[in-house]
Amino acid sequence: MTTTARTLARSTTTALALAATAALLSACSFSVGTSTDDAQPASDGGVDFTGLQSATIQLEALGTFVSPQEGGYEAAGRGSGFLISPDGYALTNNHVVTGAGTLKVWRGGDQSTELNARVVGSSECLDLAVVKLDGTDFPYVSFHDGPINTADEIYAAGFPLGDPTFTMTKGIVSKADTAGDTPWASLDHVIEHDAKIRSGNSGGPLVDPDGKLVGVNYAGSDMYDTNMAIHRDEVQNVVEDLKGGKNILSLGINGEALTDDEGTGLGVWVNSVASGSAADKAGVEPGDLLTSMEGVTLGTDGTLADYCSVLRTHGQDATLSVEVYRPATDSYLRGQFNGEAIEETTTVSSAVTPSTGGSSASQTSAGGFTTVEDNDGVVTVDVPAAWNQVDGNKFVDDRGNYFYGVEASSNLAQYQGGWGAVGTSVMASDTAVSNSSPEDLLNWATASLPQSGCVSTGREDYSDAVHTGRFEVWTGCGETAATYILVAAQADSGRYLTLVAVQANSDADLDAADRVMNSFTVSL
């Protein structure tokens, strides 16, 4: 039994909106630097402050992106970057380039010469990417040597608002080293500063008065007068791997966490997908919403923190379960990164034709999954296609509480009458909230289990994106030594109580139980 996060209800998807803070909203304050032909290298080979313009690039990413607000479109978004070696390697942000069909690059604000470039390594969690420009003998930015302290003088360079005019803004370091989670990144080491940046400054260098790299600008907010850069140390830890073509904390998406109008996290929206990446091979498409990975609900706080925590825990090459909502087809999909590709569930009516015969254990794994619902359309849940005997009637308990519910099994009479068949029951009541709790529901549902030889493994806390409560697993039940799994929970909105039970006789049944617990929805 796992306390995995469930797929989001269909009704929430109509409220998709970008999480707050996304844009870099400031403009430049003054232009500096020499022409690209006049740059002089510093003693370490990198440019000095006056030559910074010559090593700063503007990138245009062209390709198909899908916005949660605008839908699909072929976009040409511009950001900034900077060269870090004479052989053409440059740094920028992941969200500037990942998933682009083509990249155009201009150096130093010179729009007369367009350079070709390709992405060689990226990280969505660190919001870093390395691109390789064709050519040699490029001027480049070298790293600041020594500590980075609060109140240090710094300059933010780049091409804000897509303007080809090179700009810089002056400021100081406000926080020398802090953690920073945004809708599109999750970083342990971030520099906060007050050198004003705007959209288009993304990926540009933050430098000291000598033109040495202090950080990579990636986020800002006019509302809070906050500007953030990826710390030099964070960059240095991964830059050689990125240059070598190794992705870091990455599955190949250009995404950002979304919230609804009330600030509730909905998941991670996929703006675009890198071709050949783990996400691409899994079947994830631009416009998908990733709702959970490895049982962890994504985007709960409106940032990429949950997504990146899973990658840090398991590694990007691990087989990772994923749940996806696809608004384009109003469908739910489940599968794996680095494993079985995602596939869509099928919705069917509760008025299906009963079948007989065959063992429950063998039938569970045959035919995939379908979605069933109660007769009132309140409760829905995914079940194995073989569990095609369905009862969608509501009932009244001994306290007078009305429960909407649906039960499904390969043999409903055996399931309801004993331990001979596997199946599930999903119930919900908006009247029971006033006189019951999740603990009361569990007590009621398990009162007679010891008489059947069932042994409890103990109760534990349960939570998902919508509910909070308790769950319990009982083993050795009846003549089949069945496993009985129960979740009792209250909606976080306080509107209803729900009870979900699954009877399992095999490993395939336990897999089905996980699907049940991750898919039930209640519309009350």
Side-chain angles (χ1 to χ4, degrees):
M1 171 69 178
T2 57
T3 53
T4 50
R6 303 178 306 98
T7 305
L8 295 176
R10 293 175 189 265
S11 59
T12 65
T13 61
T14 60
L16 289 178
L18 288 174
T21 66
L24 303 172
L25 296 175
S26 335
C28 34
S29 52
F30 58 91
S31 297
V32 300
T34 62
S35 72
T36 58
D37 297 326
D38 297 333
Q40 299 297 317
S43 58
D44 60 2
V47 297
D48 61 13
F49 185 78
T50 61
L52 184 61
Q53 177 177 347
S54 67
T56 306
I57 61 175
Q58 185 176 38
L59 305 99
E60 182 177 87
L62 199 64
T64 300
F65 295 79
V66 176
S67 162
Q69 296 170 321
E70 301 175 28
Y73 58 97
E74 187 170 331
R78 290 192 176 188
S80 300
F82 55 97
L83 288 147
I84 55 174
S85 66
D87 54 352
Y89 285 97
L91 270 170
T92 186
N93 289 145
N94 176 80
H95 77 261
V96 171
V97 298
T98 292
T102 61
L103 283 177
K104 297 179 181 179
V105 175
W106 300 272
R107 182 169 66 89
D110 180 6
Q111 296 287 298
S112 65
T113 303
E114 182 181 303
L115 302 171
N116 294 322
R118 59 185 174 86
V119 180
V120 295
S122 63
S123 171
E124 52 253 35
C125 290
L126 304 181
D127 198 19
L128 287 172
V130 167
V131 301
K132 178 67 168 65
L133 279 59
D134 293 339
T136 58
D137 299 324
F138 288 107
Y140 64 93
V141 179
S142 55
F143 288 91
H144 170 84
D145 186 21
I148 299 170
N149 299 312
T150 300
D152 281 355
E153 183 179 321
I154 44 85
Y155 297 81
F159 300 91
L161 306 177
D163 193 319
T165 303
F166 177 73
T167 66
M168 294 183 70
T169 53
K170 180 180 180 180
I172 62 169
V173 173
S174 306
K175 289 184 181 179
D177 191 356
T178 186
D181 293 326
T182 66
W184 60 93
S186 177
L187 291 142
D188 292 329
H189 303 285
V190 168
I191 296 169
E192 287 189 14
H193 61 88
D194 64 358
K196 190 73 75 174
I197 56 178
R198 295 235 197 297
S199 178
N201 273 117
S202 296
L206 186 72
V207 301
D208 64 17
D210 295 322
K212 305 306 178 187
L213 187 73
V214 173
V216 180
N217 288 309
Y218 83 107
S221 169
D222 277 353
M223 181 181 298
Y224 302 107
D225 193 23
T226 301
N227 309 279
M228 294 185 287
I230 304 161
H231 198 287
R232 170 207 60 193
D233 295 351
E234 192 92 80
V235 177
Q236 287 183 314
N237 285 339
V238 300
V239 67
E240 291 304 317
D241 283 338
L242 295 176
K243 285 174 61 178
K246 181 180 179 181
N247 297 327
I248 305 294
L249 294 174
S250 175
L251 295 173
I253 69 166
N254 186 336
E256 53 193 306
L258 296 184
T259 61
D260 62 18
D261 292 338
E262 297 177 351
T264 302
L266 299 176
V268 175
W269 180 269
V270 180
N271 295 307
S272 59
V273 177
S275 296
S277 65
D280 185 31
K281 292 175 181 178
V284 173
E285 299 177 357
D288 284 349
L289 183 72
L290 311 183
T291 58
S292 78
M293 283 170 52
E294 283 298 290
V296 176
T297 307
L298 301 180
T300 54
D301 61 352
T303 78
L304 218 61
D306 300 316
Y307 173 92
C308 294
S309 292
V310 173
L311 291 186
R312 289 185 171 101
T313 300
H314 296 274
Q316 65 189 32
D317 297 323
T319 300
L320 305 170
S321 63
V322 63
E323 297 182 358
V324 178
Y325 174 68
R326 182 164 290 167
T329 56
D330 192 24
S331 59
Y332 296 95
L333 305 96
R334 290 184 179 84
Q336 297 170 325
F337 293 114
N338 305 310
E340 296 182 2
I342 59 175
E343 61 178 20
E344 184 177 339
T345 62
T346 305
T347 302
V348 298
S349 168
S350 62
V352 295
T353 303
S355 66
T356 59
S359 70
S360 60
S362 64
Q363 286 185 340
T364 290
S365 59
F369 287 82
T370 61
T371 302
V372 297
E373 63 182 12
D374 71 302
N375 294 343
D376 297 281
V378 173
V379 176
T380 64
V381 63
D382 288 357
V383 300
W387 296 7
N388 59 359
Q389 295 188 19
V390 178
D391 180 357
N393 294 313
K394 58 176 173 283
F395 71 96
V396 181
D397 70 4
D398 53 7
R399 295 188 182 185
N401 297 312
Y402 279 89
F403 279 83
Y404 300 92
V406 60
E407 292 186 305
S409 174
S410 58
N411 190 318
L412 201 56
Q414 287 187 11
Y415 169 68
Q416 293 174 333
W419 302 101
V422 297
T424 185
S425 304
V426 184
M427 303 176 292
S429 173
D430 53 357
T431 59
V433 175
S434 61
N435 56 32
S436 300
S437 68
E439 201 78 25
D440 293 332
L441 280 185
L442 274 184
N443 291 338
W444 171 75
T446 61
S448 63
L449 293 184
Q451 300 172 21
S452 297
C454 303
V455 177
S456 173
T457 61
R459 292 184 181 179
E460 297 183 42
D461 292 335
Y462 172 89
S463 65
D464 59 24
V466 183
H467 308 96
T468 301
R470 302 275 281 169
F471 78 92
E472 189 171 14
V473 179
W474 293 72
T475 60
C477 297
E479 65 278 7
T480 60
T483 298
Y484 199 51
I485 305 159
L486 300 105
V487 168
Q490 182 170 351
D492 294 338
S493 64
R495 291 197 298 266
Y496 61 85
L497 289 173
T498 185
L499 178 69
V500 183
V502 178
Q503 187 169 305
N505 290 338
S506 70
D507 289 340
D509 302 335
L510 293 175
D511 290 339
D514 191 59
R515 182 68 162 259
V516 167
M517 298 301 177
N518 279 277
S519 65
F520 73 91
T521 63
V522 179
S523 301
L524 279 176

